[in-house]
Amino acid sequence: MKARYSALTRDLDWEPSYVEFDKLYPHVTYEGIKIHDWSKWEDPFRLTVDAYYKYQAEKDKRLYSVLDGFAQGQGHLTLSEARYLNAMKIFLGGVTPLEYQAHRHFAYLSRHFAGPGPRFAALCQSIDEMRHAQTEIHTLSNYNKYYSGFHNFTQQHDRVWYLSVPKSYFDDALSAGPFEFLIAIGFSFEFLLTNLLFVPFMSAASFNGDLPTMTFGFSAQSDESRHMTLGLEAIKFLLEQDEDNVPIVQEWVDKWFWRGYRVAAIVAQMLDYMLPRPVMSWKEAFELYFERQMLDGLFPDLAYYGIKPPRFVQQAIDEKEILSHAVYLVFYNFSFAANFTTTIPTEEHLAWLKQSYPDTFEKYYQPRWDRAKEIADGGGRFFFGGLPQLCQVGQIPMTFPEPGDPTTICQRSSEYQGENFNFCSDGCQWIFEREPEKYVQAWLPVHQIYQGNCGGPSVPEVLEWYGIAEGDNGEYEGSVDHANWKKWHDQVEDISGNHADARDEAAVAAAVKEV
C-alpha cells in the first residue's frame, strides 16, 4: 500500500524545467508562509484512488438502499413530527451548498499546492465534498415530495438573510490564500467544530425517526474523521516548516475559530429548539466536543509549537448558557422571511430546556416564552415587521448579550474611511479591524433590500425574490405542513380503527351514505 501510494503521489512530482516556480505555483508565497520541504507532508491514510472509490461505493450502496426502503415504506410518516424537518431545511440550504464550494476550492488547491502530498490530499477531499453535496440532496429529496421549504435551496442560499451566515464564512475562506483556507476549512471548521454538527445532530436524526439523514450522517462522518486528521496534519506541517509561520497561523486560528463559532450558533438553536425529541443540549455538546476534546486534548499538544487556545475562546465558553436561546428567539420573530417555520416550545420541551440550563433558562428566557404564548393564545402571534440588523463580519443578527450580562445586547462599532460598521461581538470587531478593506465589501442581505437589489421594497416582493412559496415560512401551528401531518395521521388511524371518527357509528354511517 505504501509503495502504491508513493507511486500515485511522490512519483508524479517533478522539478519544472522551462517554467519558473513562481509562475507554476503563484499562490504559495504571498501569505508569508515559508515551506522548505514539501515532501514532509504526510498523509496518515495513504488511500490509493482505486481503494478510495471502492470504499466510497460500498458506503453509497448502503445509503441508497436505506433511502429506497424509507421512501417505499412511507417513512416520512414515522418522523417524530413534521416540524422536525425545519432543522433539515436549514441544513439543506445552509450546509449542502458549502459542500459544493469546498469541492471546487479543494480541486483548485490540488492544482496549486507545490507539493505532491498536499495536492493528492486536496484532490481526495474535493471528491469527498462533491459526494457529500450529492448524497445530502438525494437524502432530503424524498421529503420534498411531501413537505414545504425544500424546493428552492440553491437560490435561497444566495439570498435569504440568515443563510448569509454560513455563506459569508465560505466566501471569506475562498477569497483567502491557500494556506489560510486550509486553516479555515481543514482545521477550524473540520477539526475544531465539525463534531458539534455531525455527531449530536445525526444521533438526533435517528431519535426523531429520520433514518435517511442518520445513515447519510454516519456515511459522511467517516470522511469527516479523515478530513479532521488531514486538518491536523496541515497545521502541524505549517508549524514545523518554519518558526516564522507560528504567529501567522495563530492569527488564523484566532480568526477562524470565532468565525466558525458564530456559524455554529445556528446549530445550537437547531439542537435545543428544533428537535421534537432532543437528545443533547448545545451546552452538553459544546462541553464534550469542544472543551474536553479540543481545549483539554488538542491545544496542550499544539502548545509545543507555540500555538495558544483561540483568542476570545472564553467568551464562547461563557455564551454556552445563552447562545441557542438568543438565536431561536430571533428566528421565532423573523421566520416570516425564512424557508422554515417556528413555534413556541411545548410545555414538555420548556421543562427540558429548564433542566438543561438550570442557571439561566428559567430566569431569562422562560418569561419571554410565557409572554409569547399569552399573546399567541389571544390570537396575536406576531412577527417583527422588518429584518434584524446583521453583524458586518459574521452576518449574523446582532442578538448576542454583553459578556456577563444576558439582559443587554452587545453592540460594537468601528469607523473606517468615514463610515460606521457594526459588530455582534468583540471577536467580530477584532476580525474586521485586521482586514477592514475586505469586510467593507460584505454583501449584507438586509442592506441590499434597502438599496433596491432584492426584488422590491415590500415584504411580498422580497419573499418572491427569495424564492419562498406559501407554506415555507411563518408559524408552524396551522401551517401547510402541520395541517397535512394531522390529515395523514388521521387517515392512518382511521384505517387502523384508532381514530375517533372510526369508532363513531353515526360518523361512519354518514360517510357511507355520502359515498
Side-chain angles (χ1 to χ4, degrees):
M1 176 66 80
K2 186 175 181 180
R4 292 177 67 197
Y5 180 76
S6 179
L8 282 166
T9 56
R10 292 349 187 224
D11 290 354
L12 291 178
D13 197 32
W14 65 88
E15 291 292 330
S17 58
Y18 59 88
V19 180
E20 295 177 9
F21 181 90
D22 290 344
K23 290 184 178 177
L24 187 58
Y25 302 111
H27 305 308
V28 296
T29 55
Y30 72 87
E31 293 174 283
I33 291 291
K34 298 174 182 175
I35 304 297
H36 302 292
D37 186 355
W38 283 94
S39 71
K40 295 296 184 184
W41 176 285
E42 290 290 340
D43 181 351
F45 295 98
R46 295 194 180 95
L47 269 178
T48 60
V49 171
D50 55 347
Y52 169 83
Y53 279 112
K54 184 178 180 181
Y55 181 59
Q56 300 295 60
E58 287 298 320
K59 291 197 297 185
D60 276 2
K61 284 179 186 175
R62 288 195 289 272
L63 171 62
Y64 284 97
S65 66
V66 170
L67 298 187
D68 284 345
F70 190 79
Q72 291 177 23
Q74 297 292 306
H76 72 97
L77 295 175
T78 64
L79 297 173
S80 58
E81 205 175 318
R83 65 184 171 91
Y84 156 80
L85 291 172
N86 286 314
M88 290 298 103
K89 295 167 192 173
I90 293 176
F91 186 90
L92 184 64
V95 176
T96 300
L98 303 186
E99 306 271 20
Y100 186 69
Q101 289 188 48
H103 149 69
R104 294 185 62 185
H105 205 71
F106 274 110
Y108 186 77
L109 295 184
S110 71
R111 154 64 183 85
H112 283 283
F113 276 138
R119 279 203 300 267
F120 192 74
L123 176 66
C124 288
Q125 184 153 352
S126 169
I127 300 167
D128 281 345
E129 305 292 0
M130 183 166 60
R131 190 181 82 89
H132 293 177
Q134 291 172 333
T135 50
E136 285 166 15
I137 293 168
H138 290 156
T139 296
L140 295 171
S141 64
N142 181 53
Y143 295 126
N144 187 42
K145 298 176 185 174
Y146 306 102
Y147 300 96
S148 309
F150 288 99
H151 56 90
N152 208 9
F153 71 94
T154 53
Q155 177 178 331
Q156 290 168 356
H157 177 75
D158 287 332
R159 300 184 178 190
V160 174
W161 57 277
Y162 83 92
L163 290 173
S164 70
V165 180
K167 180 178 186 297
S168 70
Y169 181 97
F170 258 68
D171 286 349
D172 195 350
L174 293 169
S175 56
F179 296 113
E180 185 176 349
F181 177 85
L182 271 188
I183 298 300
I185 305 303
F187 179 71
S188 297
F189 198 78
E190 299 276 15
F191 196 91
L192 291 184
L193 299 169
T194 195
N195 274 348
L196 284 169
L197 173 63
F198 275 93
V199 178
F201 206 73
M202 296 312 163
S203 299
S206 171
F207 199 49
N208 283 274
D210 185 3
L211 193 59
T213 299
M214 181 205 73
T215 308
F216 153 74
F218 288 125
S219 171
Q221 185 58 26
S222 58
D223 297 338
E224 299 297 342
S225 299
R226 183 154 40 82
H227 299 168
M228 288 174 69
T229 307
L230 289 172
L232 185 60
E233 175 58 31
I235 193 169
K236 288 173 60 180
F237 173 71
L238 297 182
L239 295 172
E240 289 172 353
Q241 285 294 306
D242 198 292
E243 287 187 6
D244 290 348
N245 295 342
V246 174
I248 300 174
V249 171
Q250 179 71 61
E251 285 222 348
W252 288 342
V253 170
D254 294 344
K255 169 187 171 180
W256 288 102
F257 161 73
W258 191 259
R259 290 284 272 123
Y261 167 70
R262 274 295 182 247
V263 176
I266 296 177
V267 179
Q269 64 83 34
M270 290 160 70
L271 278 178
D272 281 351
Y273 281 90
M274 288 191 161
L275 302 175
R277 296 176 191 154
V279 295
M280 172 184 269
S281 70
W282 165 257
K283 178 184 170 185
E284 290 176 289
F286 188 81
E287 288 173 346
L288 175 59
Y289 296 115
F290 184 74
E291 290 185 55
R292 291 185 201 168
Q293 290 188 355
M294 299 304 157
L295 291 182
D296 297 343
L298 171 66
F299 278 94
D301 291 339
L302 291 179
Y304 291 111
Y305 298 97
I307 294 295
K308 297 175 288 188
R311 188 190 295 246
F312 304 112
V313 71
Q314 188 58 48
Q315 283 194 21
I317 294 170
D318 294 341
E319 280 188 359
K320 66 187 176 187
E321 287 276 353
I322 53 90
L323 189 71
S324 64
H325 316 301
V327 176
Y328 187 73
L329 278 165
V330 170
F331 279 9
Y332 177 79
N333 291 329
F334 294 98
S335 60
F336 73 94
N339 61 331
F340 57 81
T341 59
T342 55
T343 194
I344 298 169
T346 63
E347 290 297 325
E348 183 182 7
H349 203 113
L350 289 171
W352 178 80
L353 288 167
K354 181 180 171 183
Q355 182 181 20
S356 301
Y357 297 91
D359 298 330
T360 53
F361 183 77
E362 190 172 18
K363 183 177 181 181
Y364 298 112
Y365 300 103
Q366 175 84 48
R368 300 190 196 186
W369 290 120
D370 291 344
R371 178 60 180 150
K373 187 173 188 311
E374 186 181 323
I375 295 172
D377 288 347
R381 170 54 158 115
F382 64 92
F383 297 101
F384 285 4
L387 286 173
Q389 182 183 17
L390 301 182
C391 170
Q392 187 73 26
V393 170
Q395 304 202 13
I396 197 162
M398 307 271 287
T399 185
F400 303 98
E402 280 285 350
D405 181 9
T407 63
T408 304
I409 297 291
C410 177
Q411 179 149 357
R412 301 287 183 269
S413 62
S414 295
E415 187 177 311
Y416 181 73
Q417 294 184 340
E419 192 173 350
N420 196 55
F421 296 93
N422 297 294
F423 314 100
C424 67
S425 59
D426 295 322
C428 286
Q429 184 180 30
W430 175 78
I431 291 169
F432 175 88
E433 291 178 350
R434 285 181 69 247
E435 304 172 278
E437 64 282 0
K438 184 173 192 178
Y439 296 103
V440 296
Q441 304 174 56
W443 195 94
L444 292 174
V446 180
H447 291 192
Q448 293 299 318
I449 293 173
Y450 288 124
Q451 292 173 24
N453 298 324
C454 301
S458 69
V459 169
E461 288 170 313
V462 173
L463 296 187
E464 183 179 0
W465 186 77
Y466 279 177
I468 289 175
E470 182 184 359
D472 290 353
N473 55 340
E475 167 62 41
Y476 171 71
E477 293 286 335
S479 67
V480 173
D481 284 355
H482 185 220
N484 284 336
W485 179 261
K486 288 178 64 178
K487 181 177 70 177
W488 295 332
H489 283 78
D490 283 350
Q491 290 171 344
V492 170
E493 289 189 8
D494 196 35
I495 292 169
S496 62
N498 293 324
H499 193 275
D501 286 348
R503 296 191 297 274
D504 185 337
E505 292 182 3
V508 172
V512 171
K513 193 179 293 182
E514 286 177 11
V515 172

